[in-house]
């Protein structure tokens, strides 16, 4: 016991040093912005950030620290530094004391968002909870608060209409935004088994966001309550261990409840966007990436909205949001809420707004404010010079007959239709552009531990996406068929933990919707390349699709399969060559590398290569992967396993971790 106490006290003093170091770093960030201000230097210096991160990773490694840990910790630290530099430029230093109104009581998500936004000034900020959204607006309008905080939209529940309606009448400006991940916890009096919980209280929106979790609990009733944090107080006051509340971990800590389960939201990517309002607009330094919000109405004539939007397009204004709300008392007439990238202080934006005024019946600019979406730095990985060459264009006359236009049925997939390469962005990873992307992971998710180990290794080696099959298309019905949705939860958890987007196969149209709640990319396997109802269904989803080439399919059949997805409205298709069936049996399939330059010419879609299913034997995977890299695809997908001998599917072709590390070194060095 004594030993335990001693170690704990050492840990406490290490934590103390971490805190002091963070405080010192923040002070220096304050000084640096003054120096930058003086020189007119930009806030972000991505080259310096990249080098900083790469050095820290290298130094951390020599001290036994994982690259992913360093990356995550320093992303937060760099983000905090940028946040305080931006606030400095916004002149939030004045007035000295900031009074912030939010809807709810202490511990509400709105308050947490406010604390995050005003983090560098917490010692000079007072938060006051009020009863309604309208009272937040009143508090700022009446001068009882300097800032008001209102939630406007949530990634699962959608827009909060009441707030949009308030914005149209309020005499306030938007001066900032905060996007916060909402992580719901189940909170109770004591650590009891979840099956003994009988009633769960929370705000109806929070209950709705955790519906799947709640409905799995036996004999348990969900009871709507005015507010999540108030539900926490109710459970505390009732002192009954069969009651629970859904709220933030902070609310639980504040009111003395225990966390019974974390992250119970149905959608893992559950974010709420909050607006910071003030009486006067702020002028934002042009070095800060900015957003502008406005409300407009157009005349009740055909094409008037289109005219207004075309105008914005002409000024190259990128819209990030367009929302419509009925105008009270004017049936079938609407107000349009628009957010776009840009700052009213820029000439281009000012001119566009001037023109927009004459194309609208009313226009209210709500303000320009720093955009919260800050790109994360990634340590630089150089692709081998000449590693992804653009294929040489061939003279028209030498094109084989099969490629002549009249024979080609596909249209949307064709490069003739869209000469530029399609780039698909999956949670910040760009597939189809100049970067070479590696997807890796096991053939099938087998256990929480197995997929975590793979995720960690993929991250460590610089892989960008995590693969793992949960629904496996097996030749024999007696082979392992995958863990289904349980496996998908494990895959999603590992992806979240290591910040890797996840790729998984869907086998049936009815699984597309539930799988796409978790998966970032849907894979269509080789055996399903011509399953047209499945293709149309993934075409109706909004997730990127990795379409594998059927093992007996021609280029034209492959591109027509992609066409099904594109034609159903989903333009995010990634093609994948994974080997075709030939007379040769020495390899599992014959990797058709010739298809890569051909596809690059025929289509604008991104193209990946899967050397694992082509090879069938692990020792062939690395050489085939390197050969593939040389012919110009946009990336690779490979199978790895922590213990390939024990793999439940495709073990013989799974790379050992060290082989994968070797491959990554050879590709990226
Ligand atoms: C897989 O990726 O695990 C798979 C089954 O691939 P394919 O459809 O290419 O056989
Ligand atoms: Mn496989």
């Amino acid at each position: 016991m004594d030993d335990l106490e001693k170690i704990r006290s050492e840990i406490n003093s290490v934590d103390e040093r971490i805190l002091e170091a963070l405080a010192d770093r923040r002070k220096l960030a304050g000084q640096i912005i003054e120096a930058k201000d003086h020189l007119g230097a930009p806030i972000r210096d991505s080259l310096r950030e990249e080098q900083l991160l790469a050095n820290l990773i290298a130094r951390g490694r020599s001290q036994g620290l994982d690259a992913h840990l360093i990356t995550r910790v320093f992303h937060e630290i760099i983000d905090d530094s940028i946040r305080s530099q931006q606030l400095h430029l916004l002149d939030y230093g004045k007035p000295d004391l900031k009074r912030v109104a939010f809807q709810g009581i202490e511990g509400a998500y709105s308050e947490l968002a406010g604390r995050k936004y005003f983090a560098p000034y917490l010692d000079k900020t007072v938060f006051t909870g009020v009863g309604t959204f309208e009272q937040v607006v009143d508090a700022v309008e009446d001068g009882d608060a300097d800032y008001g905080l209102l939630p406007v939209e949530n990634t699962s529940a959608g827009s909060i209409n009441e707030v949009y309606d308030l914005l149209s009448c309020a005499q306030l400006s938007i001066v900032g935004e905060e996007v916060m991940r909402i992580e719901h916890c189940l909170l109770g009096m004591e650590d009891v088994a979840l099956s003994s919980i009988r009633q769960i209280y929370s705000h109806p929106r929070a209950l709705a966001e955790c519906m799947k979790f709640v409905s799995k609990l036996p004999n348990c009733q969900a009871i709507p309550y005015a507010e999540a944090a108030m539900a926490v107080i109710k459970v505390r006051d009732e002192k009954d261990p069969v009651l629970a509340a859904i709220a933030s971990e902070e609310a639980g800590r504040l009111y003395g409840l225990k966390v019974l389960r974390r992250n119970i939201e149905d959608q893992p990517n559950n974010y709420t966007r909050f607006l910071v309002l003030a009486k006067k607009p702020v002028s934002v330094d042009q070095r800060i990436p900015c957003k502008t919000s406005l409300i407009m109405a157009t005349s009740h004539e055909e094409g008037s909205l289109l005219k207004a939007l075309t105008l914005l397009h002409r000024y190259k204004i990128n819209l990030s949001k367009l929302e419509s709300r009925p105008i009270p008392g004017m049936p079938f007439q609407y107000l349009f809420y628009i957010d776009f990238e840009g700052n009213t202080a820029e000439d281009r934006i000012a001119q566009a707004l001037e023109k927009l005024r004459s194309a609208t019946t009313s226009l209210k600019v709500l303000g320009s404010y720093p955009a919260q979406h800050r790109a994360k730095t990634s340590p630089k990985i150089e692709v081998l010079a000449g590693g992804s060459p653009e294929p040489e264009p061939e003279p028209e006359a030498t094109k084989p007959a099969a490629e002549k236009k009249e024979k080609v049925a596909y249209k949307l997939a064709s490069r003739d239709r869209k000469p530029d390469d399609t780039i698909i962005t999956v949670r910040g990873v760009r597939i189809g552009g100049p970067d070479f992307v590696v997807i890796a992971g096991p053939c099938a998710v087998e256990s929480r531990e197995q997929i975590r180990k793979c995720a960690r290794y993929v991250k460590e080696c610089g892989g960008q996406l995590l693969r793992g099959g949960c629904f496996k298309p097996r030749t024999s019905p007696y082979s392992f068929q995958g863990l289904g949705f349980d496996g998908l939860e494990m895959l999603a958890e590992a992806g979240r933990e290591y910040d890797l987007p996840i790729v998984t196969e869907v086998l049936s149209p009815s699984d597309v919707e539930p799988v796409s709640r978790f998966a970032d990319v849907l894979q269509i396997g080789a055996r399903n390349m011509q399953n047209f109802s499945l293709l149309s269904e993934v075409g109706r989803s909004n997730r990127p699709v990795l379409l594998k080439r059927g093992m007996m399919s021609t280029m034209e059949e492959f591109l027509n399969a992609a066409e099904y997805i594109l034609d159903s409205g989903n333009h995010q298709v990634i093609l994948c060559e994974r080997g075709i069936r030939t007379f040769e049996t020495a390899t599992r399939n014959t990797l058709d590398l010739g298809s890569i330059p051909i596809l690059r010419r025929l289509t604008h879609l991104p193209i990946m290569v899967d050397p694992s299913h082509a090879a069938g034997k692990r020792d062939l995977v690395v050489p085939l992967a390197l050969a593939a890299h040389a012919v110009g695809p946009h990336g690779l997908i490979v199978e790895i396993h922590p213990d390939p001998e024990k793999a439940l599917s495709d073990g013989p072709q799974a790379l050992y971790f060290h082989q994968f590390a070797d491959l990554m070194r050879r590709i990226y060095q």
Side-chain angles (χ1 to χ4, degrees):
M1 250 327 169
D2 268 0
D3 270 359
L4 185 63
E5 285 309 312
K6 196 163 149 269
I7 299 169
R8 280 191 176 145
S9 107
E10 277 174 32
I11 286 187
N12 290 350
S13 67
V14 170
D15 289 348
E16 201 58 44
R17 293 209 308 272
I18 295 176
L19 282 182
E20 278 167 20
L22 284 174
D24 285 350
R25 199 185 191 287
R26 199 183 255 180
K27 270 192 217 119
L28 291 170
Q31 289 173 16
I32 214 158
I33 186 57
E34 275 165 30
K36 281 184 187 170
D37 217 3
H38 203 65
L39 294 171
I43 293 188
R44 299 213 56 179
D45 180 346
S46 42
L47 207 63
R48 174 169 151 76
E49 283 175 26
E50 276 167 17
Q51 278 163 357
L52 182 111
L53 209 52
N55 287 344
L56 288 165
I57 288 172
R59 295 194 46 190
R61 218 174 237 148
S62 67
Q63 298 180 47
L65 295 168
D66 307 339
H68 82 273
L69 174 72
I70 306 273
T71 310
R72 271 162 60 161
V73 168
F74 278 89
H75 273 159
E76 284 301 319
I77 293 177
I78 293 172
D79 192 62
D80 180 73
S81 170
I82 295 163
R83 182 187 296 270
S84 54
Q85 295 186 30
Q86 288 190 350
L87 284 178
H88 173 93
L89 286 181
L90 285 173
D91 230 7
Y92 279 8
K94 299 169 242 155
D96 275 350
L97 186 72
K98 277 167 282 297
R99 298 161 306 161
V100 181
F102 66 94
Q103 188 269 323
I105 59 169
E106 214 184 335
Y109 287 108
S110 289
E111 192 208 1
L112 302 182
R115 290 191 169 276
K116 198 169 158 214
Y117 186 79
F118 288 101
Y121 297 105
L122 276 189
D123 53 338
K124 286 192 280 178
T125 311
V126 185
F127 293 89
T128 310
V130 296
T132 63
F133 292 145
E134 196 170 356
Q135 284 167 356
V136 172
V137 171
D138 291 346
V140 186
E141 280 182 343
D142 299 346
D144 296 331
D146 303 303
Y147 301 99
L149 217 89
L150 290 177
V152 273
E153 55 185 310
N154 173 273
T155 44
S156 40
S159 288
I160 301 170
N161 292 335
E162 194 189 335
V163 170
Y164 274 101
D165 292 346
L166 276 171
L167 286 175
S168 69
C169 325
Q171 303 289 313
L172 298 178
S173 295
I174 303 175
V175 298
E177 66 171 350
E178 183 64 59
V179 177
M180 199 174 73
R181 172 128 187 230
I182 304 292
E183 293 171 297
H184 293 303
C185 291
L186 186 71
L187 304 160
M189 285 298 293
E190 287 165 23
D191 262 329
V192 290
L194 295 188
S195 56
S196 67
I197 303 287
R198 291 291 163 267
Q199 290 181 339
I200 297 180
Y201 293 85
S202 194
H203 187 279
R205 216 167 22 240
L207 290 174
E209 285 166 22
C210 305
M211 198 157 56
K212 247 174 70 190
F213 170 82
V214 173
S215 61
K216 274 195 209 148
L217 298 180
N219 306 320
C220 181
Q221 201 187 355
I223 303 177
Y225 213 65
E227 247 177 68
M230 278 184 181
V232 176
I233 297 182
K234 175 175 172 67
V235 171
R236 178 198 63 184
D237 292 348
E238 298 268 332
K239 294 194 178 55
D240 186 346
V242 304
L243 305 185
I246 293 178
S248 65
E249 183 164 2
E250 285 79 357
R253 197 176 308 127
L254 197 65
Y255 299 112
L257 287 196
K258 291 213 163 61
V259 175
L260 305 181
R261 182 68 83 85
R262 273 190 186 77
N263 291 116
I264 58 170
E265 57 278 3
D266 300 339
Q267 265 208 27
N269 295 318
N270 189 25
Y271 290 89
T272 296
R273 176 171 169 244
F274 294 85
L275 295 177
V276 184
L277 304 170
K279 249 184 173 169
K280 295 223 168 67
V282 277
S283 64
V284 183
D285 190 295
Q286 290 194 32
R287 286 171 287 170
I288 299 176
C290 223
K291 247 190 200 172
T292 297
S293 297
L294 57 84
I295 302 179
M296 65 179 201
T298 52
S299 64
H300 201 36
E301 285 162 20
E302 193 200 316
S304 59
L305 174 63
L306 181 67
K307 258 187 223 150
L309 294 179
T310 308
L311 207 149
L312 293 175
H313 174 65
R314 215 177 304 136
Y315 280 86
K316 297 199 169 8
I317 287 178
N318 191 13
L319 300 196
S320 52
K321 168 126 193 162
L322 173 62
E323 177 84 32
S324 65
R325 291 286 304 146
I327 304 178
M330 300 173 79
F332 307 111
Q333 294 206 35
Y334 298 89
L335 281 178
F336 299 98
Y337 289 78
I338 291 181
D339 291 345
F340 61 81
E341 291 167 13
N343 185 339
T344 45
E346 291 168 55
D347 288 344
R348 174 180 62 102
I349 304 292
Q351 282 166 20
L353 291 180
E354 207 36 59
K355 287 264 164 50
L356 192 61
R357 253 173 248 288
S358 39
T360 51
T361 54
S362 77
L363 177 70
K364 178 178 170 187
V365 177
L366 295 171
S368 292
Y369 48 93
Q372 211 239 311
H373 190 80
R374 290 181 273 271
K376 286 179 181 166
T377 321
S378 36
K380 197 132 199 80
I381 301 174
E382 297 284 347
V383 177
L384 270 179
S388 290
E390 281 294 316
E392 289 283 316
E394 265 180 50
E396 200 60 24
T398 67
K399 283 193 182 179
E403 290 169 28
K404 289 240 174 88
K405 251 182 240 158
E406 60 274 21
K407 278 206 165 182
V408 176
Y410 56 88
K411 294 183 288 203
L412 302 171
S414 154
R415 210 184 257 287
D416 291 347
R417 236 341 149 80
K418 181 174 180 290
D420 302 339
D421 284 351
T422 289
I423 299 180
I424 296 170
T425 306
V426 188
R427 288 213 271 130
V429 180
R430 288 157 61 87
I431 304 177
D435 296 337
F436 193 81
V437 172
V438 174
I439 306 173
C443 178
V445 176
E446 296 169 4
S447 70
R448 190 163 262 125
E449 204 40 41
Q450 173 243 20
I451 192 67
R452 269 192 88 225
K453 279 188 185 159
C454 290
R456 179 177 164 168
Y457 210 75
V458 170
K459 189 79 191 184
E460 275 284 286
C461 294
Q464 289 97 331
L465 289 96
L466 177 67
R467 64 151 286 153
C470 304
F471 303 90
K472 296 303 303 176
R474 303 306 298 276
T475 304
S476 157
Y478 308 120
S479 303
F480 173 61
Q481 305 283 312
L483 296 182
F485 286 101
D486 290 341
L488 186 55
E489 261 183 64
M490 295 172 195
L491 178 66
E493 196 177 288
R496 257 202 315 276
E497 185 174 358
Y498 291 95
D499 196 21
L500 290 167
I502 57 172
V503 184
T504 201
E505 179 165 354
V506 268
L507 288 185
S508 89
S510 62
D511 283 348
V512 170
E513 194 275 326
V515 170
S516 40
R517 286 200 210 161
F518 292 89
D520 299 291
V521 176
L522 302 173
Q523 177 176 322
I524 299 289
R527 291 157 191 80
N528 271 320
M529 192 204 83
Q530 288 188 318
N531 180 338
F532 300 116
S533 57
L534 183 60
L535 295 175
S536 300
E537 193 58 35
V538 293
R540 282 187 283 272
S541 92
N542 52 16
R543 290 280 183 245
V545 178
L546 180 83
L547 176 66
K548 293 224 175 162
R549 178 179 177 188
M551 48 191 119
M552 285 173 289
S553 300
T554 62
M555 296 284 94
E556 194 172 335
E557 286 160 343
F558 192 14
L559 288 168
N560 272 309
E563 191 78 7
Y564 266 90
I565 304 173
L566 300 168
D567 186 48
S568 303
N570 187 347
H571 296 170
Q572 308 181 88
V573 180
I574 304 159
L575 303 172
C576 178
E577 161 61 39
R578 45 80 71 204
I580 47 175
R581 211 168 248 189
T582 65
F583 57 85
E584 183 56 77
T585 51
T587 47
R588 182 176 175 185
N589 290 285
T590 300
L591 185 60
D592 180 13
L593 284 182
S595 72
I596 306 304
I598 293 174
L599 287 170
R600 294 270 329 233
R601 199 177 57 216
L602 294 178
T603 180
H604 50 86
L605 296 171
I607 302 150
M608 314 268 307
V609 174
D610 172 351
S612 304
H613 290 86
K617 297 187 185 88
R618 76 176 62 84
D619 290 341
L620 300 177
V621 172
V622 173
L624 285 184
L626 294 172
H629 180 244
V631 293
H634 299 99
L636 292 176
I637 173 165
V638 285
E639 288 186 349
I640 63 170
H641 197 285
D643 191 355
E645 273 75 29
K646 300 219 178 82
L648 299 180
S649 68
D650 285 352
Q653 70 195 35
L655 293 183
Y656 287 107
F657 282 177
H658 70 88
Q659 289 178 303
F660 178 59
D662 174 51
L663 170 64
M664 293 298 275
R665 259 193 306 275
R666 292 168 73 175
I667 286 176
Y668 285 114
Q669 233 130 59

